[in-house]
Amino acid sequence: MSLIKGPLEGCLVHCCSNQPNSQRRFLREMGASLLSSTALIFRVMFIVLNTLWLFPELASSAGITRHYKFNIKLQNVTRLCHTKSIVSVNGQFPGPPIIAREGDRVVVKVVNHVQNNVTIHWHGIRQLRSGWADGPAYVTQCPIQTGQSYVYNFTITGQRGTLFWHAHISWLRSTLYGPIIILPKKNVPYPFPKPHKEVPIIFGEWWNADPEAVITQALQNGGGPNVSDAYTINGLPGLLYNCSAQDTFKLKVKPGKTYLLRMINAALNDELFFSIAKHTLTVVDVDAIYVKPFKTDTILITPGQTTNLLLKAKPHFPNATFLMSARPYTTTRGTFDNSTVAGILQYEQPPKSSFKNLPLFKPTLPPLNDTSFAANFTRKLRSLANSQFPANVPKKVDKRFFFTVGLGTNPCPQNQSCQGPTNSTMFAASVNNVSFILPTTAMLQAHFFQQSKGVYTTDFPTTPNFPFNYTGTPPNNTMVSNGTKVVVLPFNTSVELVLQDTSILGIESHPLHLHGFNFFVVGQGFGNFDSKKDPPKFNLVDPVERNTVGVPSGGWVAIRFLADNPGVWFMHCHLEVHISWGLKMAWIVMDGKQPNQKLPPPPSDLPKC
């Protein structure tokens, strides 16, 4: 397991320098055994999280430093009766959890033992004045090359809940991902009933092929990439897939107890509906921000989003078991993985009882293209907006932006036939019709040392250059422009951004993720945004605060944020295929006047390109 200092992760630790020899030996053995079992990794994580609530005195005071070591190495893994070598952290799949409290400093040494270039992004961590640790390749850092290492160093400020870490280069995040569990400060309770246990549930996607080869082939032929072979829950496909009954995640519960499910969508290309048969869920937190609790049978969770749910077990043994299932929400015209992943919810049986062949109930999930469910669900999300957890929505706006997001085309290379929308075009994606090209050096370094020439330009369009009926009949010309363009913001600029889906090559929901900030979702709707009629309806009282939002299929979403974090901050669709096609851009936030408003110099071990 990870190298961690501090008693918070007592039973997740191995080789802790401040432990007695006998305990270190025990922890080493536990770490070794953990590598052999995904289920055991997560079981141990449950023990850690729940021990902290039963024995708070085990937790150190707020603001300690927690050390981890991530060895990037190849590991043989078998799923769907198919064994392959995957890129992993410490040989684990999914990767090890980061567990800390609000206010803690986290230091992770990443050592690259594989042939691929690697970076790690700490998805949703604000990274206040620590942009060098954010992780997107060629944006905030050059990648960590084979045999090299880099230390990510950041402090968790004003966040508590669930986030996750993942690779941020090419499609390596298909296997390089794991949970970030942020507990409240010591002796600070949750604003909801204390759960009996806490359970991370992380969705992923599995390809029998090498995902790097999948996206390489797609970018060469201009077509859509081959879809995944399965979705996974905590790395396991589950009993609905061939050859996978033994690879099924099982959650065992006691009647009458309440469980906190920490849901993470780490899938590459699919938003997911999730439900547990014959159980009601209570949403209490999204993207590590508390929300007004509400009950639902089904949630929608996009790639890049997290959702904390309370599951209240039935008061008595129900003489049944229950499937917990997830399947895609999509309106795409293209192909997608139209399969269902399932785990099993099992009740602890009464003493001296023996129930066999219990009935298995399956949940009813919304139709694949149920956009009305998606809209209604997201409208229920509201910030707590109380004195302890205020919603600091920017009331005045300094700068307004209108960005279209959607698909488009690039011409096929000369003397080549392509597999895009036509045999002479390749699929592309863009923001305001600019398809982003990653530079070959890190943008943050270029910005910090004022060497941006040849790396990026500061002329990203604040509105579309050629307005059209965005959700109506698409224009005949679907070609995008290509470039590395950014928007520059003075420190503390109050920003309002409207993100508008387009019908070019089909309307589609786009989960947009902003690095370095949380934002408030002040409005959303279908059709074209109306700058006169829509803003008066904005919610400036208790809008949900998050880091990833779904731009409605055939609609728009309006967000506000305060640019109070100096650095270069990536914004992109979290559908990996759309990132690969160019649906991304970057914001540069300038330094403020005060010392605590400036980006510090880069660390000495920052990787070189």
Side-chain angles (χ1 to χ4, degrees):
M1 287 297 286
S2 321
L3 175 64
I4 311 167
K5 292 176 185 170
L8 176 59
E9 295 77 15
C11 49
L12 277 177
V13 112
H14 107 247
C15 301
C16 265
S17 59
N18 57 351
Q19 303 289 344
N21 287 333
S22 59
Q23 191 171 349
R24 288 212 299 269
R25 198 160 50 245
F26 163 76
L27 294 170
R28 275 198 298 271
E29 290 163 1
M30 174 169 278
S33 68
L34 283 172
L35 297 184
S36 64
S37 169
T38 299
L40 190 53
I41 292 169
F42 281 86
R43 201 172 301 146
V44 170
M45 195 169 8
F46 310 158
I47 295 169
V48 173
L49 294 171
N50 299 305
T51 300
L52 283 169
W53 286 113
L54 292 171
F55 306 104
E57 67 275 10
L58 292 180
S60 299
S61 59
I64 74 166
T65 300
R66 308 194 180 278
H67 292 266
Y68 290 78
K69 187 173 183 183
F70 278 16
N71 284 301
I72 310 297
K73 55 185 283 192
L74 295 178
Q75 181 72 28
N76 282 344
V77 172
T78 302
R79 297 291 185 271
L80 310 177
C81 280
H82 184 94
T83 301
K84 69 173 184 177
S85 181
I86 68 166
V87 181
S88 76
V89 168
N90 300 345
Q92 299 170 33
F93 173 65
I98 298 287
I99 304 177
R101 289 193 180 276
E102 179 188 348
D104 285 349
R105 180 169 160 243
V106 176
V107 178
V108 188
K109 183 175 184 180
V110 177
V111 185
N112 185 6
H113 302 281
V114 301
Q115 293 304 306
N116 310 72
N117 285 344
V118 170
T119 70
I120 303 291
H121 170 52
W122 317 93
H123 182 109
I125 296 289
R126 280 290 318 270
Q127 298 292 3
L128 288 164
R129 297 179 63 241
S130 56
W132 304 107
D134 191 42
Y138 303 107
V139 179
T140 61
Q141 67 167 98
C142 299
I144 307 167
Q145 299 178 36
T146 307
Q148 302 296 308
S149 66
Y150 180 49
V151 175
Y152 292 91
N153 186 339
F154 55 88
T155 298
I156 299 169
T157 305
Q159 296 176 286
R160 75 294 299 169
T162 307
L163 296 171
F164 70 117
W165 58 263
H166 62 78
H168 212 304
I169 183 168
S170 190
W171 279 25
L172 285 186
R173 77 174 183 88
S174 61
T175 58
L176 279 178
Y177 63 87
I180 300 176
I181 310 295
I182 308 171
L183 299 168
K185 291 181 178 180
K186 187 180 175 184
N187 299 325
V188 176
Y190 289 139
F192 46 79
K194 188 167 127 180
H196 173 64
K197 282 189 178 178
E198 303 188 17
V199 185
I201 294 182
I202 185 163
F203 298 115
E205 278 186 271
W206 173 268
W207 276 260
N208 286 332
D210 175 9
E212 291 300 282
V214 169
I215 185 57
T216 298
Q217 179 188 42
L219 294 177
Q220 285 173 349
N221 65 34
N226 292 336
V227 301
S228 55
D229 294 286
Y231 300 107
T232 57
I233 295 177
N234 293 348
L236 302 171
L239 70 170
L240 300 183
Y241 293 102
N242 289 337
C243 195
S244 298
Q246 77 285 2
D247 290 330
T248 300
F249 175 72
K250 294 179 181 177
L251 173 58
K252 295 183 179 178
V253 298
K254 293 182 178 180
K257 299 293 187 183
T258 298
Y259 296 79
L260 181 67
L261 308 184
R262 295 176 173 270
M263 314 294 299
I264 301 166
N265 188 348
L268 267 70
N269 293 312
D270 295 273
E271 304 186 30
L272 295 170
F273 294 122
F274 171 79
S275 183
I276 302 177
K278 297 188 179 298
H279 286 75
T280 300
L281 305 165
T282 302
V283 179
V284 294
D285 184 304
V286 298
D287 293 2
I289 298 289
Y290 296 132
V291 297
K292 289 184 172 73
F294 67 92
K295 295 185 185 307
T296 183
D297 294 331
T298 303
I299 70 162
L300 173 66
I301 185 167
T302 79
Q305 289 183 342
T306 64
T307 305
N308 281 7
L309 304 171
L310 291 180
L311 166 67
K312 181 72 184 292
K314 297 180 183 299
H316 306 290
F317 182 71
N319 293 327
T321 53
F322 307 90
L323 281 191
M324 52 174 95
S325 302
R327 77 170 184 207
Y329 158 64
T330 183
T331 60
T332 180
R333 290 182 188 173
T335 56
F336 61 95
D337 181 350
N338 185 13
S339 64
T340 302
V341 63
I344 295 178
L345 180 70
Q346 286 183 335
Y347 277 75
E348 193 175 282
Q349 294 191 7
K352 298 180 181 177
S353 63
S354 179
F355 294 92
K356 293 182 179 178
N357 301 319
L358 293 173
L360 178 63
F361 289 101
K362 298 179 181 180
T364 302
L365 290 164
L368 289 162
N369 60 351
D370 197 340
T371 295
S372 63
F373 177 94
N376 291 334
F377 177 80
T378 53
R379 283 194 186 99
K380 293 175 187 173
L381 296 167
R382 300 292 178 100
S383 290
L384 280 183
N386 58 25
S387 57
Q388 188 179 4
F389 302 106
N392 296 317
V393 192
K395 297 295 195 295
K396 72 172 185 69
V397 174
D398 298 321
K399 293 200 174 184
R400 286 184 166 85
F401 300 89
F402 182 85
F403 290 178
T404 58
V405 293
L407 303 186
T409 55
N410 269 318
C412 197
Q414 212 167 359
N415 302 322
Q416 182 182 330
S417 179
C418 286
Q419 296 175 22
T422 69
N423 62 10
S424 62
T425 58
M426 309 176 79
F427 278 106
S430 68
V431 182
N432 272 355
N433 209 47
V434 178
S435 188
F436 191 87
I437 298 173
L438 278 177
T440 54
T441 188
M443 297 171 70
L444 184 57
Q445 277 175 284
H447 161 66
F448 186 85
F449 293 109
Q450 300 180 343
Q451 297 171 344
S452 63
K453 189 175 180 181
V455 181
Y456 62 81
T457 59
T458 58
D459 56 345
F460 189 90
T462 58
T463 57
N465 287 330
F466 303 101
F468 62 99
N469 181 3
Y470 303 114
T471 55
T473 304
N476 292 327
N477 181 5
T478 61
M479 291 291 177
V480 300
S481 63
N482 299 278
T484 310
K485 299 173 185 285
V486 305
V487 173
V488 178
L489 296 170
F491 185 82
N492 256 359
T493 301
S494 174
V495 174
E496 181 179 286
L497 169 63
V498 175
L499 296 159
Q500 172 75 61
D501 184 33
T502 78
S503 58
I504 296 175
L505 302 181
I507 58 172
E508 193 170 348
S509 175
H510 297 277
L512 260 288
H513 172 51
L514 176 61
H515 290 230
F517 300 93
N518 281 345
F519 50 75
F520 292 94
V521 184
V522 296
Q524 64 175 41
F526 291 110
N528 297 339
F529 174 73
D530 188 316
S531 60
K532 291 187 173 58
K533 292 181 181 177
D534 290 321
K537 303 175 202 167
F538 284 176
N539 174 12
L540 304 180
V541 177
D542 63 349
V544 69
E545 180 183 352
R546 58 188 327 165
N547 64 62
T548 303
V549 65
V551 179
S553 179
W556 56 270
V557 66
I559 65 174
R560 288 187 181 183
F561 67 95
L562 185 66
D564 60 353
N565 194 7
V568 178
W569 303 109
F570 214 16
M571 188 177 80
H572 58 85
C573 180
H574 220 276
L575 302 179
E576 213 65 23
V577 59
H578 291 174
I579 304 178
S580 301
W581 286 343
L583 209 166
K584 50 198 175 187
M585 57 81 65
W587 306 82
I588 293 183
V589 178
M590 302 301 289
D591 282 347
K593 294 178 180 177
Q594 304 302 318
N596 65 351
Q597 298 174 340
K598 298 181 189 297
L599 178 70
S604 59
D605 64 337
L606 188 72
K608 295 177 173 57
C609 286

